[in-house]
């Protein structure tokens, strides 16, 4: 058993051709898993060479010398696996590898698999969104998303890193169909996954612009509840990178639909209430109405911070508007739950509907 594990550790993965995007991703992951990686290419000079510590040149698969050269590389470099994202090379090796180099595994991402990837997405979206799915609150103001639109929203969202799962996305979609025109404010955007969903839907349903508020800084991410156990993760995050990733993820929208304030929710409230005007290089200028139709609270999860976010921002939510409190049910602390219970009791007279979906608390303020 130990000898087998050692063999696996010693064998290398050959990535061919080494310069394709998926090849570079695969090589990066394999290196991260401490596997020995050998890049390969048929080009005399391949700039991708710089990404590999070991490299071999192979003839084109169509050339007679290819099979012999591959056999030599497998033996010489102790190759146990070949990865290729290239459709022709993958197809060729599927047919020939067992004979050229018996026992070597082929990992091939075939273009023929593309429809199946999308079928998995459309099946999951259909399972979530087909059939009776309704939310409490006012009747919808706008028609439902079409089938292809739904797939497009979820397909784009799944490519973004972050903490906004499909059930929450779909609930937000149904809530925004019932949302009056006004501003959408998000406290805590990180890489912009939920911000993307909000902005996509705000534009689609012509609700109003989204304001993302986040200091993108390790200090404010620090959480002290639960003995600060969530902090180790926050300490290792690169928030300048997160800020740039947020902008990359949202750059398809302009200032008509989104802008941001790089500050805490506590600092941002004065800017929002006094000026209603936000500018940034990435999105341009945004004029906010100064009335919040949809408030998403997903910042620091310490009880004091969530309570502060609610105290400062919930009074700015207009009649008929919505408040969403993320992680109301949360395994890592009690802050959102305690603050949410207080919110429910303070706003009891105004609440037209309240429910939990995908661990977030959704409130419709009727009056
Ligand atoms: C859970 S993440 C947000 C996740 C995001 N909504 C998504 O969909 O992936 C929490 C974010 O809150 C931000 N944050 C922490 N304290 C804050 C504060 N006082 N005001 C605004 N944002 C804050 C952090 O910088 C972090 O980016």
């Amino acid at each position: 058993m130990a000898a087998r594990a050692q063999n696996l550790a010693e064998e290398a993965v050959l990535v061919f051709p080494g310069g394709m995007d998926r090849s570079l991703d695969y090589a990066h992951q394999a290196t991260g898993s401490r596997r020995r990686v050998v890049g390969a290419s048929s080009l005399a000079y391949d700039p991708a060479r710089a990404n590999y510590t070991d490299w071999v040149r192979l003839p084109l698969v169509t050339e007679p010398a290819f099979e012999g050269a591959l056999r030599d590389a497998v033996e010489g470099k102790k190759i146990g696996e070949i990865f290729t994202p290239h459709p022709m090379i993958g197809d060729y090796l599927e047919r020939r590898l067992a004979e050229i180099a018996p026992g070597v595994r082929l990992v091939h991402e075939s273009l023929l698999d593309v429809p199946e990837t999308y079928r998995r997405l459309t099946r999951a979206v259909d399972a979530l969104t087909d059939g009776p799915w309704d939310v409490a609150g006012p009747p919808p103001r706008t028609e439902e998303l079409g089938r292809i639109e739904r797939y497009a929203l979820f397909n784009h969202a799944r490519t973004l890193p972050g903490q906004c799962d499909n059930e929450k996305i779909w609930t937000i979609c149904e809530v925004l169909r019932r949302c009056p025109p006004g501003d959408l404010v998000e406290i805590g955007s990180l890489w912009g996954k939920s911000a993307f969903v909000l902005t996509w839907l705000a534009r689609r349903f012509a609700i109003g612009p989204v304001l993302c508020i986040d200091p993108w800084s390790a200090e404010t991410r620090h959480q002290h509840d639960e003995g600060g156990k969530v902090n180790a993760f926050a300490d290792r995050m690169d928030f300048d990178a997160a800020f740039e990733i947020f902008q990359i993820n949202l750059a398809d929208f302009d200032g008509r639909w989104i802008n941001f304030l790089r500050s805490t929710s506590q600092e941002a409230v004065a800017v929002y209430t006094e000026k209603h005007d936000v500018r940034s290089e990435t999105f341009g200028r945004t004029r906010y109405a100064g009335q919040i139709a949809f408030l998403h609270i997903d910042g620091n999860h310490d009880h004091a911070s969530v309570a502060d976010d609610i105290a400062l921002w919930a009074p700015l939510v207009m009649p008929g508007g919505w408040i969403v409190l993320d992680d109301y049910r949360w395994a890592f602390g009690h802050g959102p739950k305690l603050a949410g219970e207080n919110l429910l009791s303070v706003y009891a007279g105004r609440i037209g509907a309240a429910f939990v979906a995908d661990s977030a608390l959704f409130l419709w303020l009727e009056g």
Side-chain angles (χ1 to χ4, degrees), residues 8 22 31 35 41 83 127 151 163 212 223 247 278 323:
L8 273 177
R22 280 296 300 131
T31 308
R35 298 179 69 191
S41 168
F83 172 80
Y151 297 152
Q163 294 143 322
C212 294
Q223 288 171 185
Q247 292 169 82
V278 172
I323 300 176

Side-chain angles (χ1 to χ4, degrees), residues 23-90:
S23 298
L24 292 167
D25 285 349
Y26 196 85
H28 182 74
Q29 276 168 11
T31 308
S33 311
R34 296 172 192 280
R35 298 179 69 191
R36 197 159 55 80
V37 178
V38 181
S41 168
S42 303
L43 301 176
Y45 171 73
D46 190 330
R49 165 82 183 85
N51 296 282
Y52 295 84
T53 52
D54 199 359
W55 185 259
V56 62
R57 183 166 173 207
L58 293 171
L60 293 166
V61 277
T62 46
E63 290 179 288
F66 173 75
E67 294 195 358
L70 180 62
R71 194 175 294 115
D72 290 348
V74 164
E75 277 166 22
K77 307 270 183 195
K78 291 200 170 66
I79 305 293
E81 177 184 304
I82 298 176
F83 172 80
T84 183
H86 193 285
M88 275 85 158
I89 297 173

Side-chain angles (χ1 to χ4, degrees), residues 13 24 67 98 141 164 353:
V13 49
L24 292 167
E67 294 195 358
R141 279 177 56 240
C164 190

Side-chain angles (χ1 to χ4, degrees), residues 181-185 207-209 272 287-295 318:
D183 303 332
L184 296 88
V185 172
I207 299 170
Y272 176 74
R287 287 176 178 281
Y288 292 95
Q291 287 210 309
I292 300 178
F294 183 94
L295 174 62
M318 62 203 283

Side-chain angles (χ1 to χ4, degrees), residues 208-210 253-258 283 285-286:
V210 177
F253 301 102
D254 61 34
R256 275 172 301 171
W257 298 109
I258 185 166
F283 301 109
R285 181 180 186 187
T286 309

